[in-house]
Amino acid sequence: MRVVIVGNGPGGVELAKDLSKEFDVTIVEKENLPHYSRPMLSHYIAGFLPEKKLFPYSLEWYEKNGINLLLGAKAKLIDRLRKVLVTERGEIPYDALVIATGARAREPSIRGKEHILTLRTLEDAKLIKERLEDEGEVTILGGGFIALELAGNLAKAGYTVRVVHRRETLLGLDRELSERIKEELEGTGVEFHLKSQAISADEDGLNTETGYIPGKLKVCAFGIVPNRELAVKSGIHAGRGILVDDHLRTSARDVYAIGDCAELGGVIGGTAKAAIEQAKVLARVLRGADERYDLSFRSAFFKFADFSVAIIGRTKGRSEWLDGNTKVFYEGEKAIGAVVLGDLRKALRLEKIIREGLPPD
């Protein structure tokens, strides 16, 4: 079976790795680089990681694993009738096609946005790193995991870091948890401006509802826009992302979508972990299994400087502190989620317990 994967991010490369021993696998990638770790870009910018360490797989690795990698080849259209992917470098026939095009950084919609950088690609990271080394300070817009990972690493590296966020809470968590995370990051030197909406930017700073914040280098890190254009051009149903069912199937026969470009039940995965989990499910689907991606239970693990945060399952509703660093969320008497601060091992144990429906204590 010929499997063509559009995109070489975490989901695309995981799927190729899983299938390449049994199927004829081709990855089509518009960038001219093999797979690199986007979650590690903030470590690279901070100077904790050399550029070459961002690349876990060499070009020889693809060849050795029987994966045909087409770099610098932009996918233009899926010809669903002929089962052909049309690219700038020619047509590629498929039996199953997987869209794993990921997402791009959401840009700010304020006046002067040309003075604000975004972080998504290695090219973005190189520009931010170069500017940061000149300026020695940065203002980061956002209160999600991309913003906080970048802030934590840069503060740890000794740079002056300000975080501007329009909400009072971080990571979509409650006030109590947000305050704990904020305190930890403040301890590394991050300066927070919460409940502070950005109004405009100029070369020398950022104008917010709570005042003017000076600083030439500004980075927007508050969300993603799924790359759904290939699907839309090809007549495949899309909402915010490319619409899929729990088998990761799109509205087109033999066309699937995984990762940040895919939308299931109104939700975009948003993390490398979710993309990899979807790739594993899809590999089994393509082998003929009746496998489904369970959207009801997701978890994410982050590290801000040296402080880890695990968000497990659903984290809304009634909650209790299990101990000083673990907050568990309940639906009736059943544990449905948890947030674990500073202990990844405990988080992994708790994830298994909650997933299996066992009491966390």
Side-chain angles (χ1 to χ4, degrees), residues 66-214:
I67 300 165
N68 181 25
L69 177 64
L70 293 179
L71 294 176
K74 188 177 179 185
K76 294 167 73 178
L77 187 76
I78 302 162
D79 187 330
R80 294 153 53 191
L81 219 55
R82 292 166 54 225
K83 292 187 81 168
V84 160
L85 176 69
V86 181
T87 79
E88 288 179 342
R89 289 173 51 185
E91 295 185 346
I92 304 165
Y94 67 85
D95 296 304
L97 185 132
V98 182
I99 308 173
T101 46
R104 56 192 179 274
R106 183 177 296 283
E107 292 185 355
S109 54
I110 60 173
R111 186 165 44 84
K113 67 178 184 178
E114 66 273 15
H115 300 293
I116 302 173
L117 303 179
T118 56
L119 174 60
R120 190 68 184 176
T121 66
L122 180 55
E123 198 178 325
D124 296 335
K126 284 180 174 178
L127 179 57
I128 292 167
K129 184 176 173 66
E130 187 185 316
R131 290 275 308 276
L132 183 67
E133 285 165 1
D134 286 344
E135 302 292 339
E137 59 177 16
V138 61
T139 301
I140 300 166
L141 285 72
F145 70 91
I146 299 171
L148 298 185
E149 278 179 342
L150 184 61
N153 278 320
L154 299 189
K156 183 183 170 184
Y159 293 104
T160 299
V161 180
R162 294 170 290 269
V163 169
V164 177
H165 183 42
R166 62 194 176 95
R167 298 187 194 280
E168 196 174 2
T169 55
L170 303 168
L171 297 168
L173 297 173
D174 64 32
R175 195 171 297 178
E176 210 173 17
L177 286 163
S178 297
E179 191 57 38
R180 286 287 303 277
I181 294 164
K182 177 173 170 277
E183 282 170 10
E184 287 289 340
L185 282 166
E186 283 175 334
T188 67
V190 178
E191 178 188 310
F192 281 91
H193 298 259
L194 300 181
K195 290 181 77 175
S196 186
Q197 180 86 30
I199 297 167
S200 64
D202 58 34
E203 193 182 339
D204 297 316
L206 187 72
N207 191 29
T208 76
E209 288 174 335
T210 53
Y212 187 77
I213 301 168

Side-chain angles (χ1 to χ4, degrees), residues 300-320:
F301 301 88
F302 309 114
K303 200 161 191 188
F304 311 136
D306 295 318
F307 182 64
S308 65
V309 177
I311 301 174
I312 300 162
R314 287 179 279 155
T315 53
K316 304 286 181 204
R318 184 174 75 82
S319 63
E320 289 174 17

Side-chain angles (χ1 to χ4, degrees), residues 208-262:
T208 76
E209 288 174 335
T210 53
Y212 187 77
I213 301 168
K216 288 181 181 295
L217 177 58
K218 297 164 285 292
V219 178
C220 177
F222 55 52
I224 55 172
V225 179
N227 292 324
R228 61 185 198 125
E229 290 77 10
L230 176 64
V232 172
K233 274 187 204 166
S234 306
I236 294 168
H237 297 168
R240 215 158 45 98
I242 302 162
L243 299 176
V244 295
D245 64 10
D246 56 5
H247 292 295
L248 289 319
R249 296 177 299 204
T250 70
S251 62
R253 189 178 171 191
D254 298 320
V255 178
Y256 305 82
I258 58 172
D260 289 353
C261 66

